[in-house]
Amino acid sequence: MLVFTGMFVIILLQLMNLQLFSTKYRIQADDQGTFRKVIYPDRGIVFDRKGKPILQNTVIYDLMVTPGKIKGTDTMTLCNILGIDTAEFRRRIITAIIKNKSYRASIFEPLLSNEKMAKLNENMYKLAPGYYLQERSVRDYPFDAGGNILGYLGEVDSNILKNPKYQGYVMGDYIGKTGLEKTYENVLMGQRGIEFWKRDNKNRLTDRLENGKFDTAAIAGQNMFTSVDIELQALGEKLMENKLGSIVAVDPRTGGILCMISSPTYKPKLLTGAERRKHYAELLLSPALPLFNRSVNATYSPGSTFKTLQALVGLHEGVINTHFTVSCSGAFYGCGGGNPMKCLDRGTFDLRNAIRISDNTYFATVMQRVITNPKYPSQDSSLAKWDQYMYGFGLGHKLGIDVPSEKPGHIPTPAYFDKVYGHGSWNYCNFRSVSIGQGEVDVTPMQVANEMAYIANKGWYKIPHLVDSIEGGDTFNMLSKYKEKHNALEIPDSVFEVVHDGMQAVVDGGTGAGARVPGIAICGKTGTVENYFRGVKQPNHAFFCGFAPRDNPKIAIMCVVENSGRFGGTYAAPIVGLMIEKYLNDTIAANRQAIVDKFSNLNLIPSRIYSAIKTRDSLTHARDTAYLLEKGYIKLLRDTMDMDATDEQDALDQIKMDKEELKKNKPAKDSGDKKTNIKPEAILPNEKKKPESKDSVKNDL
């Protein structure tokens, strides 16, 4: 009886413990009978200036795995559906455990295709409870343009989770990686919801637990209204096809960015859906750098577009007046006869005609007078004053626009030249080429467009920005700085009027005649920019910038066509003219459509890009990760694009997969198939076309 009683007491106590005190089995029972489903909210919709949605949402599914629950599931069926082998299966499971522990759900296969979804739905009963399908709202692009503006989403990684800024994110979440998606992540993301579901004995979801009593609703992200004109953006991307360079246009009255083209670009749809990783690897490893946003990341010497600023400084400092003339006999000899700086036009010019003709000698003389101005005690102080003007124009520092990775450009200072030449061992003749926008000065396309807005407004600008307003209010105070006027310099309107005269003459009958649009008074300036790549001189860049109409300007714009080998008036000016016409008239005249077609079909990709593509994809090194790392393709993007570990690993994983596929499908030696794909689809043309002759371009204009 004592033994029986003792056993009964022990069993009773254990039952009481299990029922009343221990949570272990209750949790397991609840876990077996219920399912906690995360509801991802719709991200905010982005609209263009006319109210058209340019970034919206669609639904897709991820296959999720909880490694601790997969014992006994049909692994072979899963591998067959996903098209992977058991080695890849084990790698993914190990990765999930390392990243997110065995008891937490991780993404096993993201962004499933419709075909895989259908097969998985038929077989989910074989895979539960270790696997389940997670509905997710992903991005959809109605216009498939503006990839470098909108950006893309990527999976959260451990480095992101370490950043206090992203507190609350978990592995498997998606986050903005570039563009507006990154800058306005807090605005667009919304708040996740939770649903609790009942499960039957076959692990199928049945009803909401207690009719949704414990659920929390997902809250969609805030919608945003931008200044972007998506039709203008699409036209700019079309005109810049098969070219390297950028177009940036802003509304000078508001600072709103109307378009921001970086070429080559990519179709934003490539970086969403089931093929995202494959497309990302192709884009990442293209020597033409389609993921590199040239509008804000690339820096160039501004060339002769810089001369308009020298005119403003010279007039305001009083070292010249509107009647001041300079004679050019073929070169600037203000620094002696040794290696003089050449000019293309001989004659005597006043300020207006010097801008129209773009005479080098005139502006070299103007800047020399500014630097040797006797009202300043030294050339150090004169250059420091000149620097103040440049910074006031928005150069030499980040403007603070609302896209990531903006570069500051470079304006040389006395300290810079002291470091290069030694204190007191330099003078104007050491940097005379700066006067014509070469040498030690660098700008971004965004800065040049903003500089045009400054001139158009006769002395002020607002920081360029993409987002004008946020539905529901600017909760995070992200837009207030874009409402302020920046007018650090007090230059009278009369000075600007003179420069406007010269710039209008550039288009009406000077070097920028290709930008003319009937019925629109356009002020502009051409630039032809010498440049080098790894110490080797390359064909010249073509620049054109300006604003229109002259009275009450509504658009300030710039275009750079890299390595075109021609003057700014040959390629860049006609492109800008078409963009201005489209924006101000909302259409391109029927008799000018042929010019659109001509420039969109014109291939100006430098030969070095084709050479780099062939080297990258040669049979010896095709898809070789070590080779690509050694040659710096990935390092270049890592240094210039804020690329994170997940993006880099995705690209490397895809290279390995492609390499294995290449081995499987390698043709026999005697097949005679020697062709190699040398370009990612939709980025570069199949073959390098012969550029149109200078005469044919001129005649067509």
Side-chain angles (χ1 to χ4, degrees):
M1 288 295 293
L2 288 173
V3 172
F4 178 78
T5 302
M7 292 177 63
F8 179 79
V9 171
I10 291 172
I11 292 171
L12 182 63
L13 291 173
Q14 179 63 3
L15 287 172
M16 290 175 61
N17 176 55
L18 294 176
Q19 291 288 335
L20 302 176
F21 304 110
S22 175
T23 60
K24 176 181 178 182
Y25 293 100
R26 177 171 59 81
I27 291 172
Q28 289 184 359
D30 288 343
D31 194 41
Q32 193 71 18
T34 62
F35 175 71
R36 180 180 180 273
K37 183 179 182 181
V38 177
I39 306 299
Y40 287 95
D42 286 342
R43 287 177 74 87
I45 299 172
V46 179
F47 297 90
D48 85 337
R49 60 185 292 269
K50 297 178 181 178
K52 298 176 183 177
I54 57 177
L55 182 57
Q56 55 190 25
N57 301 296
T58 189
V59 175
I60 203 165
Y61 289 83
D62 295 335
L63 178 63
M64 309 295 292
V65 63
T66 306
K69 297 181 180 181
I70 65 173
K71 187 176 181 180
T73 55
D74 191 342
T75 300
M76 190 54 64
T77 295
L78 179 64
C79 289
N80 289 336
I81 292 172
L82 299 181
I84 61 176
D85 55 23
T86 53
E88 173 63 15
F89 170 82
R90 286 193 294 270
R91 187 190 71 80
R92 294 189 187 187
I93 294 297
I94 292 170
T95 300
I97 294 172
I98 292 172
K99 284 184 175 181
N100 215 19
K101 310 297 182 184
S102 64
Y103 53 86
R104 291 177 181 161
S106 300
I107 296 176
F108 188 80
E109 175 93 354
L111 308 175
L112 295 165
S113 65
N114 291 335
E115 181 183 359
K116 289 179 180 179
M117 266 294 300
K119 292 180 179 179
L120 283 169
N121 272 325
E122 293 175 0
N123 293 276
M124 281 309 295
Y125 71 95
K126 299 179 183 179
L127 305 174
Y131 302 89
Y132 66 91
L133 295 171
Q134 173 70 63
E135 181 180 301
R136 188 184 297 279
S137 175
V138 296
R139 290 315 218 176
D140 182 53
Y141 305 88
F143 290 89
D144 210 13
N148 62 305
I149 291 176
L150 302 172
Y152 59 87
L153 302 179
E155 190 180 343
V156 167
D157 65 10
S158 57
N159 290 327
I160 291 175
L161 295 180
K162 293 175 184 176
N163 189 337
K165 178 180 177 182
Y166 300 114
Q167 186 176 3
Y169 288 84
V170 297
M171 297 295 288
D173 284 352
Y174 279 73
I175 193 171
K177 292 295 188 77
T178 61
L180 291 179
E181 294 277 29
K182 180 174 182 178
T183 302
Y184 293 94
E185 171 66 21
N186 289 341
V187 175
L188 295 169
M189 64 176 288
Q191 296 180 27
R192 287 175 299 231
I194 302 292
E195 290 180 355
F196 294 92
W197 289 76
K198 296 177 183 178
R199 286 201 274 207
D200 63 15
N201 61 345
K202 291 186 177 180
N203 287 301
R204 293 174 298 195
L205 301 184
T206 56
D207 303 312
R208 303 277 277 275
L209 183 65
E210 303 216 9
N211 294 320
K213 177 180 177 181
F214 303 106
D215 296 352
T216 56
I219 301 175
Q222 294 174 268
N223 298 335
M224 300 196 310
F225 298 87
T226 71
S227 55
V228 175
D229 186 319
I230 194 62
E231 292 182 1
L232 188 68
Q233 177 77 23
L235 174 63
E237 291 184 9
K238 180 178 181 179
L239 291 170
M240 290 298 289
E241 283 180 2
N242 307 327
K243 304 168 188 67
L244 304 184
S246 177
I247 304 173
V248 178
V250 302
D251 184 336
R253 300 165 299 181
T254 66
I257 298 171
L258 304 173
C259 69
M260 188 170 71
I261 292 94
S262 176
S263 184
T265 187
Y266 60 91
K267 296 182 181 298
K269 287 180 180 177
L270 292 175
L271 296 184
T272 188
E275 298 293 311
R276 177 193 181 278
R277 178 181 288 186
K278 178 180 179 180
H279 293 149
Y280 184 84
E282 290 177 347
L283 294 167
L284 179 68
L285 300 174
S286 168
L289 305 179
L291 292 176
F292 180 61
N293 189 350
R294 287 171 165 83
S295 302
V296 293
N297 295 151
T299 58
Y300 307 87
S301 294
S304 293
T305 62
F306 205 53
K307 293 173 181 176
T308 54
L309 302 184
Q310 306 320 306
L312 291 175
V313 175
L315 287 171
H316 193 236
E317 283 293 296
V319 297
I320 63 168
N321 58 40
T322 57
H323 304 294
F324 175 73
T325 60
V326 171
S327 297
C328 177
S329 60
F332 170 68
Y333 292 102
C335 291
N339 193 25
M341 188 167 67
K342 296 180 180 179
C343 65
L344 297 178
D345 300 282
R346 298 170 183 264
T348 300
F349 308 103
D350 61 9
L351 178 59
R352 292 178 178 87
N353 280 303
I355 294 174
R356 179 178 67 86
I357 297 298
S358 196
D359 181 63
N360 288 347
T361 297
Y362 189 96
F363 292 99
T365 303
V366 171
M367 188 171 180
Q368 185 175 42
R369 287 186 164 219
V370 170
I371 299 301
T372 58
N373 191 341
K375 77 176 183 179
Y376 299 107
S378 67
Q379 292 196 38
D380 282 43
S381 55
S382 296
L383 181 59
K385 182 64 178 179
W386 180 85
D387 288 334
Q388 290 178 18
Y389 280 101
M390 296 303 113
Y391 297 151
F393 298 149
L395 306 181
H397 59 88
K398 294 181 181 180
L399 291 168
I401 65 173
D402 52 355
V403 289
S405 307
E406 180 190 6
K407 295 294 187 292
H410 183 252
I411 294 296
T413 63
Y416 172 84
F417 287 125
D418 284 345
K419 185 176 180 180
V420 173
Y421 298 105
H423 184 70
S425 300
W426 56 269
N427 58 39
Y428 168 72
C429 292
N430 294 109
F431 58 90
R432 61 186 179 177
S433 58
V434 168
S435 64
I436 59 170
Q438 295 281 173
E440 294 84 356
V441 60
D442 281 319
V443 297
T444 66
M446 182 60 68
Q447 288 174 329
V448 176
N450 183 66
E451 163 197 322
M452 289 297 103
Y454 178 90
I455 295 176
N457 290 331
K458 298 180 181 177
W460 61 269
Y461 68 87
K462 292 183 179 180
I463 297 174
H465 58 279
L466 291 160
V467 176
D468 282 339
S469 63
I470 299 171
E471 190 173 77
D474 184 14
T475 307
F476 300 97
N477 192 31
M478 302 183 73
L479 305 182
S480 58
K481 68 178 181 178
Y482 302 125
K483 312 299 181 185
E484 302 172 6
K485 282 186 178 181
H486 292 260
N487 53 348
L489 305 168
E490 296 295 334
I491 301 177
D493 287 359
S494 58
V495 170
F496 287 99
E497 283 293 342
V498 175
V499 174
H500 288 192
D501 287 344
M503 293 178 69
Q504 184 171 350
V506 167
V507 178
D508 288 348
T511 57
R516 282 200 303 258
V517 178
I520 301 175
I522 299 174
C523 296
K525 186 69 190 77
T526 54
T528 305
V529 182
E530 293 185 357
N531 64 99
Y532 293 79
F533 180 74
R534 296 178 179 173
V536 179
K537 193 177 188 309
Q538 302 296 309
N540 292 334
H541 298 327
F543 264 64
F544 186 84
C545 58
F547 58 89
R550 175 172 175 173
D551 296 325
N552 190 24
K554 295 179 176 64
I555 180 172
I557 185 169
M558 77 81 59
C559 173
V560 53
V561 182
E562 293 184 22
N563 303 129
S564 73
R566 303 291 176 86
F567 299 115
T570 307
Y571 297 127
I575 289 174
V576 166
L578 291 167
M579 295 290 285
I580 289 174
E581 180 179 5
K582 170 62 178 173
Y583 181 69
L584 295 181
N585 295 344
D586 203 32
T587 188
I588 301 292
N591 64 345
R592 287 169 56 83
Q593 287 292 337
I595 305 178
V596 175
D597 296 336
K598 184 176 188 65
F599 278 91
S600 64
N601 293 327
L602 194 64
N603 186 351
L604 299 175
I605 296 290
S607 58
R608 63 179 174 82
I609 298 296
Y610 286 93
S611 176
I613 291 173
K614 290 178 181 178
T615 301
R616 183 203 63 185
D617 285 347
S618 66
L619 292 176
T620 305
H621 298 296
R623 304 293 188 246
D624 189 310
T625 305
Y627 171 77
L628 292 167
L629 285 169
E630 176 191 346
K631 291 299 181 184
Y633 288 118
I634 291 177
K635 182 180 184 299
L636 178 61
L637 270 296
R638 184 193 300 134
D639 291 345
T640 58
M641 286 185 52
D642 288 344
M643 185 173 71
D644 60 32
T646 300
D647 291 334
E648 184 176 332
Q649 191 57 50
D650 280 353
L652 295 178
D653 288 346
Q654 186 63 45
I655 296 166
K656 293 175 183 177
M657 292 169 63
D658 287 350
K659 190 174 181 180
E660 291 170 3
E661 190 68 22
L662 188 68
K663 289 180 180 178
K664 290 179 184 178
N665 300 322
K666 188 176 181 180
K669 288 184 179 180
D670 60 351
S671 69
D673 186 357
K674 301 295 184 182
K675 294 181 180 179
T676 304
N677 182 26
I678 64 166
K679 57 96 184 178
E681 201 62 35
I683 299 174
L684 297 177
N686 282 315
E687 297 178 355
K688 183 180 179 184
K689 301 174 186 176
K690 185 177 180 181
E692 297 287 344
S693 70
K694 182 176 179 181
D695 291 338
S696 67
V697 172
K698 184 183 294 183
N699 292 337
D700 201 62
L701 297 178

